[in-house]
Amino acid sequence: MQAVVETTDEATQDRRQLQLPTDLDLLETIITAKEIDVLFIDPLEAVLDGQVESINNQAMRNVLNRIRWAGQARRMATVALRNLNKQKGQKATHRGGGAGSILFSARFGLMAGMHPDDPTQHVLTTSKSNNGAMPLSLSYYLEPVPDTDVTVVRWTGVVGYDADAVISERRDEDDAEAPAINAAVQWLNFNLAAGPVDKAEIDRRLVKRMAADKDRKIKTFSPMSLRRAKQQ
């Protein structure tokens, strides 16, 4: 695998990082000449030049389309990485850094985050899929290799968390979610007062409760609140 990260500044003749969209013609030439099958841009925002603001939907769509067209003849795949923005509380589809058109232009979106119930693990989940049904989320942990700078990814199996669950952040009990968690705790205590109840039955009752809340145009707690309540 070869990396394309630098070019020469025409004015100063200094080596510099590839910049987009300034170097799109050069990138297209390299893709064809080197017969590149997969292009990794990590992170996307770092290769943008002064012509483009990463939060500008139209500008980002134009850049991404040019990259897609450049590799179209080769059926090249492009993998662009970005960090999370600071918009806490948003849905996963709105938590990626930069313009919304970045995800909208993609066929598939992956998101990695901390495991909601195990701080030693992470979860790889899907935020968007135009290629079919959303795949199952996978948990993993990072294992350092002794006496090296290498870290190995160890997959530990399928987990039932979607992107919204993974991206949500745990907060203290006195935060804005506390009333909903308390309501969920009371609801669980009521439903378990007579003894253990099968999870499927709890899920059925939860759906019924949420439907009743919707009819009354109120929202006492969400499935996420219930998951957090189970840990109380």
Side-chain angles (χ1 to χ4, degrees):
M1 183 180 295
Q2 294 177 307
V4 182
V5 294
E6 293 182 333
T7 185
T8 302
D9 188 284
E10 293 183 1
T12 65
Q13 295 301 303
D14 292 332
R15 300 294 290 177
R16 64 169 175 79
Q17 178 177 281
L18 208 68
Q19 295 180 332
L20 303 178
T22 298
D23 298 317
L24 276 169
D25 290 337
L26 172 61
L27 178 61
E28 184 172 359
T29 300
I30 293 171
I31 289 170
T32 302
K34 294 184 177 294
E35 299 183 339
I36 293 175
D37 294 316
V38 183
L39 174 67
F40 292 90
I41 307 176
D42 179 21
L44 176 61
E45 188 169 329
V47 301
L48 299 177
D49 60 26
Q51 302 178 45
V52 175
E53 291 186 0
S54 64
I55 60 173
N56 186 307
N57 276 302
Q58 186 61 45
M60 287 306 304
R61 187 178 289 110
N62 290 339
V63 171
L64 295 171
N65 282 339
R66 283 284 306 276
I67 295 173
R68 178 168 58 85
W69 295 334
Q72 205 162 39
R74 291 200 47 77
R75 299 175 64 85
M76 180 191 76
T78 300
V79 181
L81 283 74
R82 55 184 180 151
N83 298 315
L84 296 177
N85 59 37
K86 305 300 183 182
Q87 304 292 323
K88 295 181 180 180
Q90 296 282 344
K91 292 181 67 66
T93 50
H94 299 292
R95 283 302 311 276
S101 59
I102 297 173
L103 180 61
F104 300 150
S105 298
R107 303 292 264 168
F108 198 77
L110 290 171
M111 180 171 286
M114 295 300 300
H115 193 298
D117 295 321
D118 186 346
T120 68
Q121 296 201 56
H122 305 262
V123 176
L124 180 66
T125 186
T126 307
S127 57
K128 175 187 177 180
S129 175
N130 283 356
N131 301 322
M134 291 287 228
L136 297 173
S137 301
L138 298 173
S139 61
Y140 65 96
Y141 65 92
L142 304 177
E143 181 180 283
V145 178
D147 303 319
T148 74
D149 295 328
V150 177
T151 299
V152 177
V153 176
R154 300 292 187 191
W155 299 99
T156 55
V158 173
V159 291
Y161 296 105
D162 61 12
D164 289 330
V166 171
I167 210 64
S168 67
E169 297 196 2
R170 293 172 180 273
R171 289 162 287 184
D172 294 333
E173 226 181 34
D174 60 352
D175 67 9
E177 185 70 10
I181 296 174
N182 291 335
V185 169
Q186 293 176 15
W187 184 84
L188 274 177
N189 289 338
F190 175 81
N191 281 272
L192 299 176
V197 179
D198 184 81
K199 181 180 182 300
E201 175 60 18
I202 286 290
D203 290 342
R204 188 190 68 78
R205 295 180 188 179
L206 176 61
V207 170
K208 185 177 180 181
R209 168 61 183 267
M210 293 180 68
D213 285 352
K214 185 177 181 180
D215 289 341
R216 292 182 292 165
K217 296 183 179 181
I218 64 172
K219 182 179 179 181
T220 52
F221 59 86
S222 66
M224 174 60 72
S225 302
L226 185 62
R227 281 196 291 269
R228 294 179 65 185
K230 291 177 181 177
Q231 300 164 17
Q232 299 295 315

